[in-house]
Amino acid sequence: MSKSGESLAVTDPATDVPCCPPLAARRIPAAAAAVLAPAFKALGDPVRLQLMSMIASAPGGEICVCDLTPAFELSGPTISHHLKTLREAGLVDAERRGSWVYYRPRPDLMRQLSILLALEAGTA
Amino acid sequence: MSKSGESLAVTDPATDVPCCPPLAARRIPAAAAAVLAPAFKALGDPVRLQLMSMIASAPGGEICVCDLTPAFELSGPTISHHLKTLREAGLVDAERRGSWVYYRPRPDLMRQLSILLALEAGTA
DNA sequence: ACGCGGTTTAGATAGATGTCAACCTAGACA
DNA sequence: TGTCTAGGTTGACATCTATCTAAACCGCGT
């Protein structure tokens, strides 16, 4: 794995999103829970939640790691690990352009998670 | 702590929900992330995600633990521990009536989480 | 070749998961 | 009233996984 634009791909749970009307609509199947729980788990850390927010709210739809790292009092490798967790969860996508790596959100999975938690119909 | 209807209360993060437009709207403050991340963390386990779904989709708005436990291949105490995690996260509420304990969802926090993940405006 | 930006590996510490045993509460029955 | 039984929770423990730092590594630009 080492080509620009594909270097950091790991797995793609986001493309395997199983189904999923809101949790409150009917009981989620075990298989779907097994696929979607890791995404919630990835968001279950304050640092990753902030990272996700910075990525999702980035002006141009993407943000450089060099802008993410200095926003926390953590070492570079630690931030990189958290970003890898978000990648493996299918929440973000990474692309290397030149010397810098840019992260961008994956709307599909985020939308799916939002719908899952919705109580009534009609989520984003 | 041992009165019907209040016995199982632990803490109430759900009542301290800080704010929170969608993640993609603007960067979430560290304090808000610290409060909300535990809720996502609680949902970050397949068993708890299914429990949450069974509780949220219960016909009468609530469900007996005696109906939850046999749905999994796990011991009673284990289910009870998972339910405690959901309680402490502020996602569900428990009440003892007679010999049985009933769980019901807390819409406030669920709605907040759903909005957080929404990409456009207008979630549930 | 050198330096810089990021990721990866390796290893220590802290936290999560699941089971057994003990406890508490509520209803049943004598 | 006293005790027995069943439903759930709590506590303690073994095991597994996550989090973080330090050091090594890879790709790119100069």
Side-chain angles (χ1 to χ4, degrees), chain A residues 96-116:
Chain A
R96 162 163 241 145
R97 281 207 308 277
S99 299
W100 290 273
V101 177
Y102 294 87
Y103 278 76
R104 96 186 59 186
R106 288 209 182 189
D108 303 330
L109 185 50
M110 274 191 68
R111 189 166 7 242
Q112 174 62 74
L113 297 181
S114 180
I115 293 173
L116 257 185

Side-chain angles (χ1 to χ4, degrees), chain B residues 17-78:
Chain B
V17 174
C19 62
C20 297
L23 280 183
R26 69 158 175 273
R27 179 182 173 188
I28 189 173
V35 172
L36 295 171
F40 284 118
K41 190 183 207 170
L43 295 174
D45 179 279
V47 172
R48 286 196 294 268
L49 195 55
Q50 290 180 78
L51 283 170
M52 189 67 219
S53 180
M54 293 178 73
I55 295 169
S57 67
E62 61 183 13
I63 188 170
C64 176
V65 173
C66 57
D67 291 327
L68 294 173
T69 304
F72 301 87
E73 309 249 342
L74 290 170
S75 65
T78 298

Side-chain angles (χ1 to χ4, degrees), chain A residues 39-112:
Chain A
F40 285 117
K41 189 181 206 171
L43 294 174
D45 179 279
V47 172
R48 286 196 295 268
L49 195 54
Q50 290 179 79
L51 283 170
M52 188 68 220
S53 179
M54 292 178 74
I55 295 169
S57 66
E62 60 183 14
I63 188 169
C64 177
V65 173
C66 57
D67 291 327
L68 295 172
T69 304
F72 301 87
E73 309 251 343
L74 290 170
S75 63
T78 297
I79 297 296
S80 190
H81 272 147
H82 282 304
L83 289 172
K84 183 180 185 179
T85 301
L86 290 174
R87 258 183 290 148
E88 290 179 339
L91 286 164
V92 300
D93 215 350
E95 180 186 355
R96 162 163 241 145
R97 281 207 308 277
S99 299
W100 290 273
V101 177
Y102 294 87
Y103 278 76
R104 96 186 59 186
R106 288 209 182 189
D108 303 330
L109 185 50
M110 274 191 68
R111 189 166 7 242
Q112 174 62 74

